[in-house]
Amino acid sequence: MKQAKGLRIAIVEKDKCKSSECNFECNRFCPIVRAGKNIVWLDEEGKAVIDELGCIACGICIVKCPFHAIEIVNLASEPNVPCIHQYGINSFRIYGLPTPKYGKAVGIIGMNGAGKSTALNILAGKIKPNLGILDREVGVDEIIERFRGKEIQRYLQDLYDKKIKVVIKPQDIHEVANKIKGEVKHILKFVDENKVFDLISEYLSLNNFLNKNVKELSGGELQRFTIAIATLKDADVYLFDEPCSYLDVYQRLRLAKLLNYLLSKGKTIVLVEHDFAVLDYLCENICIIYGKPKVYGIVSLPYSTSEGINSYFEGYLPHENVRLRKNPVKFLLRSLERQTTEGYKILEWSRLLVKLDDFVLEAEGGYISKGEVIGILGPNGIGKTTFIKVLAGEIKTFEGLVYCLIENPSISYKPQVFDFPKPEILVKDFLNLINPNYSKNDWIMEEIIYPLRIDQIYERYIYELSGGEKQALKITECLLKDADIYLFDEPSAFLDVEQRLAVAKILRKYAQTFKKAIFIVEHDLMIQDFACDSLIIFKGEPGIKGYSYEPLGLKRGFNMFLKDLGITFRRDQRTFRPRINKEDSWLDRKQKELGEYYYFGV
């Protein structure tokens, strides 16, 4: 079958296509088939196949398919980069590849399902690209020739000639746990090819769980274990797929320092990550993968990290002349001091003492006002979720009270760990149970449903959804409930960068528009900076005791938090987004000397 010239892409999700349970509607209702040209047929496995060259993209098959297995996408023009790999007829394809730079760190950003992991697996040699050719085997020489004259040609030549050793840290850390059995310490010492076990253990703070069995590890511990396996191996190129997932801010900073250590040894790093602060701190260049999730992805030309991230926020890629979104994401230079408005307080709490088994949490008294968003920052295991559960009424205090200043207050809570009572229900039916009129509300549709891409999963069952899709659905469920106070515990987990920005915008706008009070527990500092008016800082000893301060203005709160981290933030002059200063740079030293760890010069 010939490759369509960039005009039309037909996708058939094989796991959804069930020809034995339907009346072959995609064929019966196709106007081209009715006109006598057979462009829709069944393959040997009974799955629908659509001829992309003959398809006119009328959309009838999309609507008629009872299992919603078909998607047709029109591209305005042929991508200016070649098709590198296609998984099969009517399957996902990726155009272009990110270019590793020897001795440097290159970042990759983009939506989930747009091909980031595919690109990493090609760079690791785990996937041999077929160049979009499906009817014959593609040779290595042909792959190298496709990139002739480009910088990546040398990398691929070295990869296939086995001149470089490549190690990949996969995205799915739970799959690693299913494959590897035994005690953490023994496994790590076994793979320690560089004899740097003690150094890596210190960077990643592994000592607390070295004696545990792999199957006993928490998400954060499993992530650090997987990173350790990769970095203990002796390689030339290290590929990391979303290493910050499950890690708190402190652990992300230690990870950044570990990767800097690898760079100092002349190693090459390619980093897929949704946390812009980490990418900005580490990477010299970034590539942006855009397109339509699960349909196609196009890899941009390399940008400098600053230019690439700014272009992403502005929603326009100048090298490709492509607009990613209608409106740019703007960081506003709002008040840094906490604003107190009498008569608007909605919830107060006295000094609290909470005891849970061997863990003790003390919290200073505070309040939240209508229209205010309070961010909660601190390491894992320090009591942030405990505090949120106290506010939600799920945990009783040993001392102190939480009291609302309005009659019969209602609370909507998105927990850190969640499930759905009826996962066998369709997404659209689930949302109708939460709020039967949501689809008639233009604000909800434009500000929540479309930005979080919920409309794209309407016809899917909840149990079929990925972790990111379930997270987006849970956030939507929380917001569709009419409440006075909203509690969000790690809402950005599993979300791609586009959805993270959408969540930050939604929560801030929701609080301001409807005068709701919102608490956010979040490790992504850029999300906290964008969405929040105030901060509650947590300190203590993880798993033993925690202490939280009263809500503070952004300047005081971030200064306190960043001082503990030992890092400083500046503002990007173009987008006003926060950026981490390089350690021991002139600006880093100057801000520390002045005690201005945050918002220097503003």
Side-chain angles (χ1 to χ4, degrees):
M1 182 175 178
K2 294 182 180 180
Q3 171 69 34
K5 291 297 182 181
L7 298 175
R8 190 165 296 113
I9 295 175
I11 298 293
V12 178
E13 292 192 49
K14 304 300 183 184
D15 57 337
K16 290 185 179 180
C17 181
K18 303 172 184 177
S19 60
S20 61
E21 301 178 27
C22 73
N23 295 314
F24 204 11
E25 284 86 349
C26 53
N27 176 281
R28 287 176 52 228
F29 291 98
C30 175
I32 304 302
V33 173
R34 287 182 155 188
K37 295 183 179 180
N38 186 25
I39 68 162
V40 184
W41 64 92
L42 297 178
D43 63 14
E44 299 82 5
E45 298 178 354
K47 305 297 183 180
V49 178
I50 300 173
D51 183 351
E52 294 176 343
L53 293 177
C55 175
I56 61 172
C58 64
I60 293 175
C61 60
I62 300 173
V63 176
K64 294 295 184 179
C65 176
F67 305 110
H68 309 284
I70 299 173
E71 180 137 22
I72 309 291
V73 175
N74 280 315
L75 297 182
S77 60
E78 179 81 12
N80 58 8
V81 287
C83 181
I84 302 305
H85 188 68
Q86 183 174 341
Y87 280 96
I89 296 174
N90 299 146
S91 298
F92 177 85
R93 62 214 69 182
I94 184 170
Y95 297 87
L97 274 181
T99 303
K101 295 182 180 292
Y102 286 132
K104 307 289 184 182
V106 172
I108 302 174
I109 59 176
M111 293 184 289
N112 288 337
K116 301 186 300 298
S117 295
T118 296
L120 276 198
N121 282 317
I122 292 173
L123 294 178
K126 290 181 175 291
I127 293 178
K128 181 184 174 186
N130 58 25
L131 309 181
I133 300 169
L134 304 178
D135 54 2
R136 64 175 174 83
E137 181 78 15
V138 175
V140 168
D141 291 340
E142 193 173 354
I143 296 171
I144 299 298
E145 182 65 23
R146 174 64 64 90
F147 294 97
R148 188 174 183 178
K150 294 182 171 57
E151 191 176 357
I152 195 174
Q153 181 186 22
R154 177 191 169 195
Y155 175 86
L156 292 175
Q157 188 76 64
D158 290 344
L159 176 69
Y160 294 129
D161 289 346
K162 301 189 184 304
K163 291 181 179 179
I164 56 174
K165 182 179 177 183
V166 182
V167 168
I168 184 169
K169 197 295 291 183
Q171 178 185 13
D172 190 352
I173 58 176
H174 296 288
E175 184 180 345
V176 174
N178 291 333
K179 292 180 178 178
I180 300 177
K181 310 296 181 183
E183 190 178 272
V184 169
K185 180 167 58 179
H186 292 156
I187 295 168
L188 294 182
K189 287 193 172 183
F190 178 77
V191 301
D192 184 15
E193 298 173 353
N194 284 324
K195 305 304 177 188
V196 289
F197 173 81
D198 291 336
L199 182 66
I200 300 300
S201 180
E202 183 179 349
Y203 271 121
L204 296 175
S205 301
L206 304 180
N207 289 331
N208 291 336
F209 60 91
L210 283 176
N211 296 322
K212 283 187 179 181
N213 195 287
V214 173
K215 65 181 181 181
E216 300 171 345
L217 299 182
S218 66
E221 291 169 342
L222 186 56
Q223 182 70 272
R224 285 178 283 158
F225 168 70
T226 310
I227 294 168
I229 288 177
T231 53
L232 285 169
K233 293 179 180 178
D234 185 18
D236 304 290
V237 181
Y238 295 85
L239 311 176
F240 293 90
D241 199 346
E242 298 189 24
C244 288
S245 299
Y246 296 103
L247 301 187
D248 63 35
V249 181
Y250 294 82
Q251 293 162 348
R252 293 180 189 195
L253 184 62
R254 293 191 188 102
L255 168 65
K257 291 181 176 180
L258 169 59
L259 300 188
N260 258 336
Y261 164 77
L262 293 178
L263 292 173
S264 73
K265 297 298 180 181
K267 306 300 184 181
T268 300
I269 293 174
V270 180
L271 179 65
V272 171
E273 186 49 64
H274 298 302
D275 189 325
F276 275 160
V278 172
L279 283 172
D280 198 14
Y281 182 71
L282 276 173
C283 298
E284 186 169 292
N285 296 97
I286 66 167
C287 290
I288 298 160
I289 302 185
Y290 59 96
K292 188 171 180 61
K294 299 182 180 179
V295 179
Y296 72 96
I298 302 174
V299 182
S300 76
L301 294 171
Y303 287 82
S304 71
T305 302
S306 175
E307 174 70 18
I309 293 177
N310 284 345
S311 296
Y312 195 87
F313 279 125
E314 291 166 352
Y316 175 72
L317 304 182
H319 297 342
E320 287 72 21
N321 192 25
V322 168
R323 183 157 294 283
L324 301 176
R325 71 178 72 85
K326 294 179 183 178
N327 301 310
V329 176
K330 295 181 179 179
F331 286 79
L332 303 177
L333 297 179
R334 55 194 185 277
S335 172
L336 303 183
E337 304 301 329
R338 192 177 188 210
Q339 305 298 304
T340 303
T341 307
E342 291 300 325
Y344 274 81
K345 291 181 183 179
I346 187 171
L347 184 77
E348 286 192 67
W349 58 94
S350 64
R351 191 175 188 86
L352 304 176
L353 179 64
V354 182
K355 296 183 178 180
L356 295 173
D357 299 324
D358 296 328
F359 179 77
V360 176
L361 170 66
E362 288 186 72
E364 290 186 4
Y367 68 88
I368 188 171
S369 301
K370 296 178 182 178
E372 185 177 17
V373 181
I374 294 182
I376 297 176
L377 276 172
N380 286 334
I382 207 73
K384 304 185 302 298
T385 295
T386 298
F387 178 74
I388 285 289
K389 287 184 175 181
V390 168
L391 298 183
E394 292 189 3
I395 291 179
K396 301 297 183 183
T397 60
F398 187 77
E399 294 178 5
L401 294 172
V402 177
Y403 43 96
C404 200
L405 302 179
I406 61 173
E407 190 175 351
N408 299 321
S410 55
I411 293 176
S412 185
Y413 173 36
K414 200 291 296 183
Q416 179 184 3
V417 180
F418 58 83
D419 54 20
F420 293 90
K422 296 181 179 179
E424 67 282 355
I425 192 173
L426 287 173
V427 169
K428 65 178 182 180
D429 295 333
F430 170 73
L431 293 177
N432 280 322
L433 289 175
I434 303 300
N435 185 338
N437 298 314
Y438 83 92
S439 60
K440 300 174 184 177
N441 187 313
D442 291 341
W443 197 97
I444 290 176
M445 297 302 294
E446 293 295 330
E447 302 292 342
I448 301 175
I449 300 298
Y450 298 146
L452 292 180
R453 304 198 288 272
I454 299 299
D455 57 310
Q456 298 178 21
I457 59 173
Y458 273 160
E459 305 296 339
R460 293 173 62 189
Y461 293 100
I462 292 177
Y463 68 80
E464 297 177 328
L465 302 181
S466 67
E469 289 167 337
K470 287 179 179 177
Q471 183 76 270
L473 181 61
K474 201 68 180 180
I475 292 168
T476 302
E477 176 194 356
C478 188
L479 289 171
L480 289 186
K481 295 177 180 178
D482 186 16
D484 302 296
I485 300 161
Y486 292 82
L487 310 172
F488 293 89
D489 197 346
E490 297 194 24
S492 77
F494 307 112
L495 298 185
D496 62 39
V497 64
E498 195 71 20
Q499 290 173 311
R500 290 182 183 206
L501 293 173
V503 167
K505 290 173 67 177
I506 290 166
L507 297 185
R508 179 154 188 80
K509 205 166 185 179
Y510 199 80
Q512 292 177 337
T513 303
F514 302 108
K515 301 303 177 188
K516 304 296 186 180
I518 297 179
F519 290 87
I520 308 174
V521 176
E522 182 55 62
H523 295 302
D524 190 323
L525 295 180
M526 200 168 292
I527 300 301
Q528 294 279 27
D529 176 271
F530 187 92
C532 298
D533 303 292
S534 313
L535 294 172
I536 298 177
I537 306 300
F538 278 67
K539 296 185 181 183
E541 298 178 53
I544 300 174
K545 61 181 179 181
Y547 184 90
S548 74
Y549 293 82
E550 65 175 333
L552 304 171
L554 291 182
K555 185 172 183 177
R556 286 184 62 197
F558 268 121
N559 266 330
M560 177 187 292
F561 185 71
L562 296 178
K563 187 175 183 179
D564 273 358
L565 282 174
I567 60 174
T568 56
F569 271 71
R570 69 188 186 280
R571 283 287 175 188
D572 182 83
Q573 294 183 353
R574 187 163 132 195
T575 61
F576 300 121
R577 63 184 172 87
R579 302 183 65 186
I580 303 177
N581 292 320
K582 297 295 183 184
E583 189 173 12
D584 207 36
S585 65
W586 177 86
L587 199 53
D588 182 58
R589 296 196 307 271
K590 182 68 173 177
Q591 287 184 222
K592 287 176 178 176
E593 180 184 326
L594 295 173
E596 293 284 353
Y597 288 77
Y598 185 74
Y599 283 134
F600 178 72
V602 178

